[in-house]
Amino acid sequence: MMTSLQIAPDRRAELKARYRLAILDAADALIRERGKPQFSVDELAERADVSRRTVFNHFASLDDVIMTTCTRVLSAAVDEFRAATLSKPAGDGSLVALFEEITTAIRAMDLPPVVAYLAGVLGAENDGGRSAHSLGDVFTRATEQLAAEIADRASAIDGFEVAILVSSVMNGVAVVSGHWLDRTGGTLDASSRQIWRELIDRLISTTRIGYARTDPARTARDEGI
């Protein structure tokens, strides 16, 4: 029979995870309600139904809470990307095929709401001691992990080339995000989503030139025509 001393550590771990999740859920709810991360630690603690001390037991600062919330939102999008790319066979094993698979997944992702959310959080006035962050920082964090995972999957392709490909696409998506925000203000409607699709299409078309033969003369020469 298990004693209370044996059960206690598991119970503490469960409570710790529950409190942490409650704090992040509360932060996310406050951000979405107010459109910006403008709330105090006391407001956050009240919404999460925990004490102020409990917030600081789990996070170093309010900035830490906000950035962890952003990471969680981005992670959901990254998981969607990962599922779309890893659920399919690696084509013919070529870099061109991998490029097509990655860009097909990017097109299928519903990224505008994620970009609008992150822009609202990261672009808010830097008050309350928050550190400055950017969309580029967020996408950079995602790129390294994705590059490593895709390199493991596409083991027949040189890992360095996979890293360059993934970085090119993901950095391009970060650039697209900035242009989309400039043109739409982060509004989510049919028109803004069309602008997003057009920008993504331009990104993919431009990036593809580096991975596919587009010069008719070169194609004819390579194919012996």
Side-chain angles (χ1 to χ4, degrees):
M1 178 181 296
M2 296 184 66
T3 67
S4 59
L5 291 177
Q6 291 174 309
I7 296 174
D10 289 340
R11 176 61 176 167
R12 285 197 296 269
E14 179 185 343
L15 287 173
K16 186 175 181 179
R18 185 186 305 169
Y19 289 147
R20 181 181 176 85
L21 180 61
I23 293 166
L24 291 174
D25 284 345
D28 182 65
L30 287 167
I31 290 171
R32 293 183 187 277
E33 287 174 10
R34 301 179 181 184
K36 293 181 180 180
Q38 294 180 340
F39 50 85
S40 66
V41 175
D42 289 333
E43 288 176 312
L44 176 63
E46 182 179 0
R47 176 63 66 92
D49 195 22
V50 299
S51 69
R52 179 187 176 93
R53 180 179 178 180
T54 298
V55 173
F56 287 115
N57 282 342
H58 290 80
F59 298 94
S61 64
L62 188 58
D63 180 59
D64 186 21
V65 176
I66 292 168
M67 286 308 299
T68 303
T69 303
C70 286
T71 301
R72 190 172 67 159
V73 171
L74 179 63
S75 294
V78 170
D79 287 343
E80 183 181 350
F81 177 95
R82 185 181 295 113
T85 55
L86 301 187
S87 64
K88 300 177 182 178
D92 61 11
S94 69
L95 197 61
V96 172
L98 183 59
F99 175 80
E100 295 300 333
E101 292 167 14
I102 291 173
T103 53
T104 296
I106 290 291
R107 277 196 173 104
M109 292 171 64
D110 187 21
L111 279 174
V114 176
V115 172
Y117 177 95
L118 294 176
V121 176
L122 302 174
E125 293 183 3
N126 188 18
D127 53 10
R130 291 200 308 108
S131 303
H133 299 279
S134 70
L135 277 171
D137 294 335
V138 176
F139 278 101
T140 296
R141 293 189 185 102
T143 297
E144 293 182 2
Q145 181 180 1
L146 282 172
E149 291 186 6
I150 294 174
D152 288 341
R153 171 174 171 259
S155 57
I157 304 175
D158 182 81
F160 177 69
E161 292 187 337
V162 172
I164 291 176
L165 189 160
V166 176
S167 296
S168 296
V169 175
M170 293 300 289
N171 289 338
V173 174
V175 172
V176 164
S177 299
H179 281 273
W180 180 77
L181 288 167
D182 287 342
R183 292 178 59 180
T184 68
T187 302
L188 296 173
D189 56 24
S191 175
S192 68
R193 287 177 180 277
Q194 179 59 32
I195 290 172
W196 175 269
R197 287 190 293 268
E198 290 171 357
L199 289 171
I200 287 293
D201 285 346
R202 287 180 62 186
L203 163 67
I204 293 172
S205 177
T206 301
T207 309
R208 180 181 283 115
I209 295 173
Y211 301 100
R213 293 176 294 186
T214 58
D215 181 359
R218 178 182 174 186
T219 301
R221 182 174 63 254
D222 291 348
E223 295 180 356
I225 298 176

